[in-house]
Amino acid sequence: MLETAKYLIGAAGPSGFGSKTTADQVTSHCPELHSITAIITGATSGIGAETARVLAKRGARLVLPARSMKAAEDTKARILSKFPGSEIIVMALDLSSHHSVRKFAAQFHSLNLPLNLLINNAGKFSHRHAISEDGIEMTFATNYLGHFLLTKLLLKNMIETAEKSGVQGRIVNVSSSIHSWFSGDPISYLSLINKNKSDYYDGTRAYALSKLANVLHTKELARRLEEMEANVIVNCVHPGIVRTRLTRDREGLITDVVFFLASKLLKTIPQAAATTCYVAIHPRLANISGKYFADCNETSTSKLGFNSTEAARLWSISEIMVAQKIQSRKT
């Protein structure tokens, strides 16, 4: 009850920020970002677009991958109208396609740019069951596995950039408190919904699984980066409940009721982008890795999200899934 009251009034936590803090406010005293190159997925609308705007305001060079090049160009134009000196590159990327992710990574590497910041923000919520071209349930493919592969392909660049520049690299995985709604065996449920039939499919549970995967990815990647002694950190965020285009595919009585009740707790988009921006660039986060943040403060994940064994298990399965299509293309 006390935590709910703190949320509703926007009481500041240990960081000095709270649920009502905006992205502009949380970055107002951060260093300028003129030497920083950032990739932000899902930056054509909602939280991602606000994150891109705020980082451009601070001077970062932005790379905006998107399925719709028109939407990406529109986002670029909006930012440039406010900050004419911004450097913004738009590139094609469909996170549900391993081929598209690999093509994007190759094209980015060909630009010979440094990479300081990777914000894995793009997300999808779909009530309807669908399978990607790689044989993966579409929500999981877009929200988690595409980002897993993207991070894997860009990580060497990030590590090298950090070594050369002396500036710590940061990866931000945008998850959700809904990750705690998932219970059971993640891999077993994934194998069921990866089948070309929807008998076992529930849109909300599939979304919760993908967001749990983001949390587990953060935990295992942080462990591996520490083991490598890389000057790169990774953290996970819950942006808060906000009505964005993420829910455009949703339907169903239960989901409608949940969103109606949650509407009393909805954040504005600038408030929802605050935690992402805080974790991405605030100096206070230096050397902090593998953590989960909400309302610009560190908090706890679900018990399953804290499970190191599950994190390692998911990583191993993910490596197999992103490699399978390569093998099939070679044969």
Side-chain angles (χ1 to χ4, degrees), residues 41 65-69 91-95 97 100-101 104 150:
T41 67
R67 284 183 301 171
S68 168
M69 291 300 287
M91 300 174 66
L93 172 64
D94 179 355
L95 282 161
S97 163
S100 178
V101 174
F104 167 82
L150 180 66

Side-chain angles (χ1 to χ4, degrees), residues 120-123 139-140 142-148 172-176 179 207-221 234-237 291-292 301 305 314:
N120 292 321
N121 166 80
T139 302
F140 191 85
T142 303
N143 294 0
Y144 165 67
L145 197 60
H147 284 128
F148 172 87
V172 182
N173 288 331
V174 178
S175 180
S176 168
H179 84 271
Y207 181 75
L209 173 63
S210 72
K211 295 290 100 178
L212 172 63
N214 294 144
V215 174
L216 293 173
H217 177 219
T218 302
K219 188 173 185 64
E220 178 64 11
L221 179 56
V234 56
N235 289 292
C236 196
V237 305
K291 305 301 182 182
Y292 178 74
T301 67
L314 176 65

Side-chain angles (χ1 to χ4, degrees), residues 125-129 139 201-204 249-253 255:
F125 184 114
S126 181
H127 180 75
R128 302 174 187 85
H129 181 258
T139 302
Y201 186 75
D202 173 84
T204 301
D249 291 332
R250 70 172 182 82
E251 60 181 47
L253 178 61
T255 306

Side-chain angles (χ1 to χ4, degrees), residues 6-324:
K6 287 181 178 179
Y7 175 88
L8 290 173
I9 65 174
S15 70
F17 306 113
S19 63
K20 302 300 183 184
T21 304
T22 67
D24 275 319
Q25 291 170 337
V26 84
T27 58
S28 62
H29 298 296
C30 290
E32 292 298 313
L33 303 176
H34 295 292
S35 63
I36 300 298
T37 299
I39 294 177
I40 309 170
T41 67
T44 58
S45 66
I47 296 168
E50 176 67 1
T51 301
R53 183 193 69 80
V54 170
L55 295 191
K57 181 181 180 180
R58 306 299 302 171
R61 175 197 287 128
L62 302 182
V63 178
L64 307 183
R67 284 183 301 171
S68 168
M69 291 300 287
K70 182 183 183 304
E73 290 289 356
D74 289 346
T75 299
K76 176 180 178 178
R78 286 195 300 271
I79 294 174
L80 288 174
S81 69
K82 296 178 180 178
F83 312 111
S86 300
E87 184 178 352
I88 303 172
I89 302 167
V90 298
M91 300 174 66
L93 172 64
D94 179 355
L95 282 161
S96 72
S97 163
H98 297 169
H99 175 69
S100 178
V101 174
R102 292 181 185 280
K103 184 177 180 181
F104 167 82
Q107 290 176 337
F108 177 77
H109 290 317
S110 72
L111 298 176
N112 294 315
L113 292 174
L115 181 58
N116 309 91
L117 178 58
L118 173 61
I119 300 179
N120 292 321
N121 166 80
K124 177 182 180 64
F125 184 114
S126 181
H127 180 75
R128 302 174 187 85
H129 181 258
I131 298 293
S132 75
E133 65 181 44
D134 302 293
I136 310 298
E137 187 277 318
M138 192 63 78
T139 302
F140 191 85
T142 303
N143 294 0
Y144 165 67
L145 197 60
H147 284 128
F148 172 87
L149 179 57
L150 180 66
T151 303
K152 175 184 172 69
L153 296 175
L154 297 176
L155 193 58
K156 181 180 178 181
N157 185 321
M158 293 197 72
I159 293 172
E160 290 177 350
T161 298
E163 288 177 349
K164 292 176 182 177
S165 67
V167 177
Q168 190 169 66
R170 297 192 184 189
I171 301 168
V172 182
N173 288 331
V174 178
S175 180
S176 168
S177 63
I178 292 175
H179 84 271
S180 65
W181 294 11
F182 187 88
S183 60
D185 183 351
I187 306 304
S188 294
Y189 183 63
L190 178 62
S191 68
L192 288 175
I193 62 176
N194 278 349
K195 297 177 181 178
N196 285 305
K197 57 181 181 178
S198 57
D199 298 5
Y200 304 98
Y201 186 75
D202 173 84
T204 301
R205 193 175 189 214
Y207 181 75
L209 173 63
S210 72
K211 295 290 100 178
L212 172 63
N214 294 144
V215 174
L216 293 173
H217 177 219
T218 302
K219 188 173 185 64
E220 178 64 11
L221 179 56
R223 185 191 70 77
R224 288 169 179 257
L225 288 168
E226 182 179 11
E227 192 175 75
M228 295 165 62
E229 298 184 350
N231 190 24
V232 177
I233 60 172
V234 56
N235 289 292
C236 196
V237 305
H238 164 56
I241 305 169
V242 57
R243 189 176 294 276
T244 70
R245 289 180 60 199
L246 173 67
T247 59
R248 64 188 179 274
D249 291 332
R250 70 172 182 82
E251 60 181 47
L253 178 61
I254 294 177
T255 306
D256 284 338
V257 169
V258 168
F259 273 86
F260 172 76
L261 295 175
S263 67
K264 305 304 179 184
L265 303 175
L266 289 179
K267 287 186 175 185
T268 65
I269 288 176
Q271 291 169 348
T275 304
T276 298
C277 291
Y278 173 71
V279 173
I281 68 171
H282 203 286
R284 190 178 287 122
L285 271 290
N287 301 317
I288 294 176
S289 193
K291 305 301 182 182
Y292 178 74
F293 292 81
D295 300 329
C296 303
N297 287 277
E298 184 180 338
T299 188
S300 300
T301 67
S302 67
K303 184 177 180 180
L304 192 54
F306 191 71
N307 190 314
S308 299
T309 301
E310 284 297 333
R313 182 179 175 223
L314 176 65
W315 186 285
S316 297
I317 294 295
S318 300
E319 290 276 22
I320 294 170
M321 287 192 289
V322 298
Q324 282 178 339

